[in-house]
Amino acid sequence: MSFKSLEDLRAACLDLPAGSDTAASAVARRQDTLTKPQGSLGRLETIAAWLGRWQAREMPKLDTVKVFVFAGNHGVTAQGVSAYPSEVTVQMVANFAGGGAAINQLARIAGAKLDVIPLDLDHPTGDFTQVPAMDEQAFLAAVSAGYNAVTKDLDLVCFGEMGIGNTTPAAAISAALFGGGAEKWTGRGTGVDDAGLIRKITAIEAGRKRHADSLSDPLKIAAALGGRELAAIFGATLAARKNNVPVLLDGFVCTAAAAPLARLHPTGLAHTIAAHVSAESGHRRLLEALGLPPLLDLGMRLGEGSGACLAVNIVRAALECHARMASFAEAGVSEK
């Protein structure tokens, strides 16, 4: 798939499958027969039904789980918005390849394959305080790269990112989509000091002012204020919906990247679960705005898909209970 125009992409975003009510109902019925008080496993029960709905299977499976980490560089780092230099993005991609990052360890214990996709790292996006981060064609190319990464054979996907400076576009997108000043959405990212935080807020407000004509359109917001890895996550989230693949979203950047889909379609993120709420200050607000309660709250703020990958273990636990617990009749246990 290669999206040729914003209107082509918009049409795809407005035509989303609803998931299988039949499969979700079958999962819920089985849950009610298992040897436990009904509802006593809490979200583990609803996770099982969520898997069933979006896989369109009455007995879901998790044989093929993949973590996608999209990497991009950002021109807005010229505004001093990050505590780290932009070359760290390339260095971390090499670290992923060498197996030395947190996500490598978390993917291994989750039984997930890791796929790292760098996106034109030698050519940062435009500094959105001066120009759009991406023109239409660059944005569509990044969206298409993410879209084409997600295939129908996957049972569950996690999305993550690597991109020095990318909490700044994430905050800018959040502010543009949901309102409020930049200060409401902006955190310290990789650990900027007070002066760095002011520079981030100033850059976001400058970007919103410069691109004011685009702020009524979620796709134009994502192009003008975002980044290639965010655009790829957007495309991958859309492809997962089209391909009946449930999604675990990672932290602030990943959630902000997917958020335009929720503004384009009222159930745009129904196939996703927020794996965790990060320590980045805007993330909790963004999840509340999207109506996505997080599974975990561990004070994490790494990115890389780390929180999403960690949550795979919870999803596996939900499926194991659903698939392997005995019913009251099978176990000879009296019901109430």
Side-chain angles (χ1 to χ4, degrees), residues 123-266:
H123 299 93
T125 55
D127 177 353
F128 67 59
T129 69
Q130 308 296 319
V131 296
M134 294 164 285
D135 63 21
E136 182 173 329
Q137 290 309 307
F139 174 67
L140 292 171
V143 170
S144 298
Y147 190 98
N148 291 326
V150 179
T151 53
K152 291 180 179 292
D153 60 314
L154 300 175
D155 299 321
L156 177 69
V157 290
C158 303
F159 297 141
E161 41 62 41
M162 177 64 218
I164 293 301
N166 66 11
T167 58
T168 300
I173 288 171
S174 299
L177 290 176
F178 296 102
E183 189 171 356
K184 174 181 177 180
W185 298 99
T186 307
R188 295 183 183 272
T190 52
V192 295
D193 59 14
D194 289 348
L197 184 62
I198 292 171
R199 289 193 295 271
K200 289 180 72 172
I201 293 169
T202 301
I204 291 165
E205 291 295 356
R208 293 178 68 192
K209 182 177 179 180
R210 179 165 292 275
H211 306 294
D213 291 345
S214 298
L215 300 188
S216 62
D217 182 342
L219 293 179
K220 290 181 179 180
I221 287 169
L225 299 175
R228 289 190 183 91
E229 77 274 36
L230 282 80
I233 290 168
F234 177 84
T237 305
L238 176 60
R241 180 62 165 266
K242 299 282 193 179
N243 289 331
N244 294 320
V245 181
V247 174
L248 288 174
L249 293 173
D250 193 45
F252 183 44
V253 176
C254 186
T255 308
L261 189 56
R263 300 298 275 173
L264 290 162
H265 192 289

Side-chain angles (χ1 to χ4, degrees), residues 62-65 109-112 311-321:
L62 290 172
D63 297 340
T64 308
V65 179
I109 63 170
V312 171
N313 300 287
I314 294 176
V315 179
R316 288 195 183 280
L319 182 56
E320 286 296 295
C321 289

